[in-house]
Amino acid sequence: MTDKIRVLIAKPGLDGHDRGAKVVARALRDAGMEVIYTGLRQTPEMIVEAAIQEDVDCIGLSILSNAHMAIFPKIVEMLRREERGDILLFAGGIIPDDDVPVLKQIGFRGIFGPGADTRDIIKFIETAVAGRDRAPAAG
Amino acid sequence: MFDHAFLAQLAQDEDRWSETTLQQSLARMPERSGPFMTTSSEPIERLYTPLDTAALDYARDIGFPGEYPFTRGAHPTMHRGRLWTMRMFAGFGSAEETNARFKYLLAEGQTGLSVAFDLPTLYGYDSDAPETLGEFGKCGVAISSLADMEVLLDGLPLDQITTSMTINSPAAPVWAMYIVAAEKRGIPRDKLGGTLQNDILKEYIAQKEFIFPPRPSMRLVTDTIEFGMREMPRWNTISISGYHIREAGSTAAQELAFTLADGFEYVRWAVERGLPVDAFAPRLSFFFNAHNDFFEEIAKYRAARRIWARTLREQFGAQSDLSWRLRFHTQTAGASLTAQQPEINVVRVALQALAAVLGGTQSLHTNSLDEALALPSEHAAHTALRTQQIIAHESGVTNTVDPLGGSYFVEALTDRLERDALRMFAQIESLGGVIPAIEAGYFQREIADSAARYQREIELGQRTVVGVNEYVERQPINVPILKMDPDGERRQMARLERVRRERDSAAVAARLGALSEAAAGRANLMPYLIDAVSAYATLQEMMDVLRGVFGIYQEPVIL
């Protein structure tokens, strides 16, 4: 294992708008992180499985169709069930302000909407990952 | 356009100006640091003069509006003759909600309909499919069967207005639903006017709502071209779309080149089917983006008309000026809108719409100020429509045809965009054509490169986005957000269940069987789809039949 931060960038739901996900994935890679991009239309099951198999430190989810409130909690729940609630979660896309507190409450530490600066995302990940024990999770 | 003596004198005069007036001015007051570049990151000169258009031949390259090569416009009188169609893209929730929004927009002076479908529909699923979790009605209206289409179109004057439908992979069955719904109301298919987006190539390149692999998808598109040619003379069978290519992050030149390359590919397939080019090409239409860079966008539309005309005439041997003439719809750039200070998006949209009008658009959708936050509220859509009406009736830009024609800058940019496009056509050809280039990830990689560069330019401050990296305000956003009818989904599910319960299931099975057999062979699938729709087969049932025969596409994952 390298000590590079490992990030999964995923596009759940049906929308094909992957510009933001790809721009973020490239920026993280350019910042020295190990980035796995899932491609489009991933189910919660596929995302959680990929995250566990790839042993990532964090998952970034991008969705523009407004299906996030149906899909994101499912992913959180499945990660908890797999005892990988330690994986850092962040999200981007079109996420109305009203939904942000709810998403923060279920465990999304960062929400980066339109106009977000990739340097802020990088800083957010580096700070959050450095601030915790990176030993393998139990189980 | 100018004689040699004039140009030689001008070059001397420009040198003199540069050494005297310009130098003195720069010494006193240097220019801003720039960079001076288009939205597509192409450099822009300080000054354009006749020297920059010296290679242009007026008759060959510019000509008169309504005549080859159509640089100055598709029609001789352009917006003096008829204003563009004000066609606001709308759709959300159930068929009832969208029908009500259509009636509202028509009452407010909109002149054409444009249907947005939700993602389950765009992806060929019925509203109750497990794959569609959370997506019902979010980005458009949910249409699972003829029964939904009948509600969507209820009370709308389909013989008087044209309807554009933004649907691609399931374009053929959804078109069949429209045709059957109209015919059940006594309006024959040859009286129906409208546009099917039906542009599958750009799905692989940018929008990503593909289902089948490219080749069977192209067969389906060619079926619609052939069917339209024979039975739907007033219908545009494809709207070849650069819009999504641009939204995904391409430059203006890439939007232009990739879109036209797709258009040529459709022509090639139809010609190979044995259809005479002049019988179908007049019914191909285009759909472009209007981004921020005012002059680059105007030049893009002018270059598009010229390239299409030249290629259809010289490469495809089209004889009719209707085949040479490129007509297009425009939408302002959704991706340019900011979630920060959303009210200033009205200004962006107005400038983008003005570029579309000056570029000679036939039809226009103006985005609403709240689109970086949610689907447009009625109030925001109202303001966006009024923006078009102000340009049409108050600005004066509609009083003359192609008012920027002959501008040294605009003509030079038009020419440069044409050259850039020709270079990209050569690249695509060297990869074996559009479909091999898709399979190799060429378009996707080029677009991702441009998107990343654009973002970097914003973050490094080389490009100013008002409200995002400059003139930033830290105030809470306060615009009303569209709330959907919570009963819409239940209504839709109930209708879908009723359709399945009440229809003649033996007839459905028989017609789906016939569709499957036809798909495995070479027959045109439109009549089979019309039969299946008439028996109330659902969208997903028809698409599943085709999935079974054609297979599904997995795109190469490209970062």
Side-chain angles (χ1 to χ4, degrees), chain A residues 14 18 26 65 118-119, chain B residues 123 135 208 247 449 459:
Chain A
L14 296 180
D18 54 4
R26 281 195 181 200
S65 70
T118 59
R119 291 168 300 188
Chain B
Y123 208 58
E135 308 274 16
K208 310 292 176 72
E247 289 289 295
D449 285 348
E459 294 182 1

Side-chain angles (χ1 to χ4, degrees), chain B residues 123-183:
Chain B
Y123 208 58
Y125 290 121
D126 290 343
S127 296
D128 56 358
E131 292 86 347
T132 67
L133 174 72
E135 308 274 16
F136 168 82
K138 290 281 169 57
C139 305
V141 60
I143 299 293
S144 300
S145 77
L146 176 60
D148 298 334
M149 187 63 90
E150 290 174 313
V151 172
L152 178 72
L153 302 177
D154 181 55
L156 300 173
L158 304 182
D159 47 351
Q160 292 157 42
I161 50 166
T162 56
T163 307
S164 169
M165 293 194 282
T166 299
I167 189 97
N168 295 284
S169 286
V174 168
W175 194 27
M177 288 183 194
Y178 189 91
I179 294 166
V180 175
E183 290 192 332

Side-chain angles (χ1 to χ4, degrees), chain B residues 194-196 232 234-239 282-285 327:
Chain B
T195 303
L196 208 53
M232 307 276 290
R234 297 185 57 219
W235 201 281
N236 299 316
T237 39
I238 320 183
S239 170
R283 281 292 154 193
L284 302 176
S285 67
R327 297 161 307 132

Side-chain angles (χ1 to χ4, degrees), chain B residues 162-348:
Chain B
T162 56
T163 307
S164 169
M165 293 194 282
T166 299
I167 189 97
N168 295 284
S169 286
V174 168
W175 194 27
M177 288 183 194
Y178 189 91
I179 294 166
V180 175
E183 290 192 332
K184 281 183 74 175
R185 278 172 43 189
I187 307 165
R189 61 183 70 165
D190 62 354
K191 295 282 180 296
L192 296 174
T195 303
L196 208 53
Q197 191 166 84
N198 200 20
D199 175 6
I200 200 63
L201 291 171
K202 71 96 172 46
E203 294 297 335
Y204 303 105
I205 292 173
Q207 169 106 328
K208 310 292 176 72
E209 284 148 10
F210 45 73
I211 299 176
F212 317 120
R215 286 172 185 84
S217 292
M218 286 298 283
R219 176 256 179 112
L220 210 45
V221 172
T222 312
D223 285 354
T224 59
I225 294 176
E226 186 179 32
F227 181 82
M229 191 190 90
R230 299 198 199 293
E231 304 203 27
M232 307 276 290
R234 297 185 57 219
W235 201 281
N236 299 316
T237 39
I238 320 183
S239 170
I240 306 154
S241 305
Y243 186 79
H244 319 83
I245 292 172
R246 192 64 179 281
E247 289 289 295
S250 84
T251 64
Q254 288 168 335
E255 177 193 351
L256 174 70
F258 297 173
T259 308
L260 292 174
D262 289 349
F264 303 144
E265 189 70 13
Y266 294 120
V267 174
R268 210 165 282 136
W269 277 65
V271 167
E272 279 169 19
R273 169 84 55 105
L275 312 181
V277 65
D278 286 314
F280 68 83
R283 281 292 154 193
L284 302 176
S285 67
F286 283 81
F287 172 22
F288 289 112
N289 201 298
H291 215 289
N292 284 331
D293 196 304
F294 194 68
F295 294 109
E296 187 178 44
E297 295 303 289
I298 293 166
K300 179 184 74 184
Y301 309 124
R302 299 174 87 253
R305 278 192 295 267
R306 186 156 84 201
I307 299 169
W308 183 254
R310 286 179 169 165
T311 310
L312 265 283
R313 181 172 173 167
E314 288 161 25
Q315 285 183 30
F316 292 102
Q319 306 284 312
S320 162
D321 57 355
L322 299 177
S323 304
W324 305 333
R325 184 187 71 180
L326 179 151
R327 297 161 307 132
F328 68 104
H329 170 73
T330 311
Q331 180 173 338
T332 58
S336 76
L337 302 184
T338 57
Q340 295 75 12
Q341 304 176 41
E343 63 284 358
I344 62 175
N345 287 325
V346 173
V347 182
R348 293 189 176 98

Side-chain angles (χ1 to χ4, degrees), chain B residues 420-442:
Chain B
D420 288 347
L422 296 178
R423 186 170 42 75
M424 286 184 239
F425 296 155
Q427 264 175 314
I428 295 164
E429 280 311 305
S430 76
L431 292 166
V434 170
I435 293 175
I438 286 169
E439 289 164 342
Y442 162 77

